[in-house]
Amino acid sequence: MEVRVLLFASYADAFGSPNVSVTVREGATVKELLARVKEMAVGHSLPPAPLIAINQEYAAPGDVVRAGDEVALIPPVAGG
Amino acid sequence: MLPDLARDEISRYARHLIIPSVGVEGQRKLKAARVLIVGAGGLGSPVALYLAAAGVGHIGLVDFDVVDVTNLQRQILHGTKDIGRSKLESARDTIADINPHVELTTYETALTSNNALDIIRQYDLVVDGTDNFPTRYLVNDACVLLGKPNVYGSIFRFEGQASVFSAKDGPCYRCLFPEPPPPGTVPSCAEGGVLGVLPGLIGTIQATEAIKLIIGIGDPLVGRLLLVDALAAQFRSVNVRKNPACPACGTREITELIDYDQFCGIPQAAAAMSAAGEMPEITPIELAERLRAGDVDLIDVREQNEWDFARIPGARLIPMGEFPEASSELDRNRDIVVQCRSGMRSGKVLRQLQAAGFTRVWNLAGGILRWSDEVDPSVPKY
């Protein structure tokens, strides 16, 4: 299944887009999905365990991703 | 015992007093409140202005900076007449004008592991308007140790985040971001730029949250991280939770403040930089002579949009992102000088070129900023 991943701030900058689509198996976990994103061209720039939300709820690495879920990768931002 | 409102205060706060859920009692709570604002910059400006206007009785302000012309696009505590003044002196005048009833305490210092607990202890809540990761972790840990709510906000270009950390039962900054990003991977406002109005958007959210916490009304941003995207005109609030393994607020293994520069890898990065050998540098005056002699290639590694408004005559633009591939376009048999705004980015490119076998490369010390000071003031500083 295809899952759309929203990217914010420095992550969106690194990927050159505010979202990316990745294909994962049905029943894939957040960890597997993250591994897919990291395989992309600039994916290696992501930290080992970025803050991830699914449908605007905090998601743990073992949580399951479902078709149509809104997955968001949220970077730390320091500017003030 | 809450302080009474004087007659002129009743008139001043009339539009608050007639809101039933604020009323005289809410206004007296504001008058009794003590709020510490860390940073008198982009976020600190709207926070201080609105908290002062709202009648927060005691405001503490921490900053050690001087007003620079590049601050004025967003730091609305300060004006053109304040360029070169201490930000705290400028803030004092602005706040006194907005509301003379506010008692202001200024701390002209960086917040450090040595002074943070003593300063924060004296306040009911903290508003974090700092601009770097070490200080954000410091504010977080100090607030957790002292049990003070931390009204958090941060900004990058067109986006921002806000939350209330370290409140009873809510997560802290470390629950969300346990590991700081490696130094240099997340650009600051000076490096990445920021839309001037964005700290206004985020700072007014922080001020709103502070006022809600003081009066005790509404649903605070506890356990929620608000993501603001000004370009998309979208506000998303993500539910976040306390991490039981968080060393600050979970296991509580952090029992005292640590060295936050060390935690964020800053001395380690500097050591790695110098371990790679001394950076070959050229001063602006030396470069000007070499350019006149025509025996050097000057490569500007900034972005096109920076090049458009400020550049050194004779330079060639190859943005940093095009390296290391672009190094094949360079002539190894000539002396090459790389240059950016301050010398930071070109220093990184220089290391890449050295790794690719270039030996005749130098970094322009201080970048365009120093070039403007020492050689050609008609090149704008930014």
Side-chain angles (χ1 to χ4, degrees), chain A residues 4 6-10 12-13 18 49-53 56-60 63 70 72 74-80, chain B residues 41-43 129-133 136 152 154-157 159 161 176-177 181 186 189 225 227 236-241:
Chain A
R4 202 165 74 106
L6 305 180
L7 303 166
F8 294 91
S10 56
D13 251 33
L51 176 60
I52 299 182
Q56 310 197 2
E57 285 283 338
Y58 168 86
D63 290 355
E70 180 197 87
I74 304 162
V77 173
Chain B
L43 292 171
T130 59
D131 61 358
N132 63 84
F133 287 108
R136 294 213 178 262
Y152 158 86
S154 65
I155 49 174
F156 173 76
R157 290 193 173 159
E159 291 177 69
Q161 302 178 346
L176 273 59
F177 302 109
V186 178
C189 290
L225 178 66
L227 303 173
R236 269 194 183 77
S237 123
V238 171
N239 291 323
V240 287
R241 34 183 137 129

Side-chain angles (χ1 to χ4, degrees), chain B residues 81-153:
Chain B
K81 67 180 189 316
D82 300 312
I83 293 170
R85 281 180 91 195
S86 124
K87 285 190 179 175
L88 293 183
E89 279 177 32
S90 158
R92 181 174 288 287
D93 289 350
T94 312
I95 289 170
D97 185 36
I98 286 199
N99 190 346
H101 298 282
V102 174
E103 194 186 329
L104 180 72
T105 304
T106 53
Y107 303 89
E108 192 125 32
T109 171
L111 195 73
T112 68
S113 298
N114 292 325
N115 62 22
L117 293 175
D118 287 337
I119 296 175
I120 293 175
R121 201 189 310 276
Q122 304 169 50
Y123 293 86
D124 303 322
L125 63 91
V126 176
V127 181
D128 180 357
T130 59
D131 61 358
N132 63 84
F133 287 108
T135 317
R136 294 213 178 262
Y137 282 97
L138 166 64
V139 169
N140 180 74
D141 290 1
C143 285
V144 171
L145 286 171
L146 295 167
K148 310 278 186 184
N150 168 15
V151 183
Y152 158 86

Side-chain angles (χ1 to χ4, degrees), chain B residues 189-210:
Chain B
C189 290
E191 294 157 349
V194 65
L195 184 71
V197 70
L198 189 76
L201 262 171
I202 302 295
T204 47
I205 290 166
Q206 289 178 284
T208 308
E209 289 304 304

Side-chain angles (χ1 to χ4, degrees), chain A residues 6-73:
Chain A
L6 305 180
L7 303 166
F8 294 91
S10 56
Y11 295 171
D13 251 33
F15 282 79
S17 167
N19 59 73
V20 293
S21 278
V22 287
T23 306
V24 290
R25 67 178 180 90
E26 296 283 335
T29 61
V30 166
K31 204 175 159 185
E32 290 172 65
L33 177 114
L34 182 63
R36 279 289 111 77
V37 179
K38 287 190 169 211
E39 284 164 10
M40 301 180 70
V42 290
H44 61 85
S45 62
L46 292 173
L51 176 60
I52 299 182
I54 299 181
N55 302 331
Q56 310 197 2
E57 285 283 338
Y58 168 86
D63 290 355
V64 171
V65 185
R66 292 185 175 78
D69 277 351
E70 180 197 87
V71 179
L73 255 59

Side-chain angles (χ1 to χ4, degrees), chain B residues 24-35:
Chain B
V24 172
E25 198 190 332
Q27 195 62 49
R28 290 169 71 198
K29 285 180 181 169
L30 287 169
K31 185 173 179 179
R34 301 176 61 88
V35 176

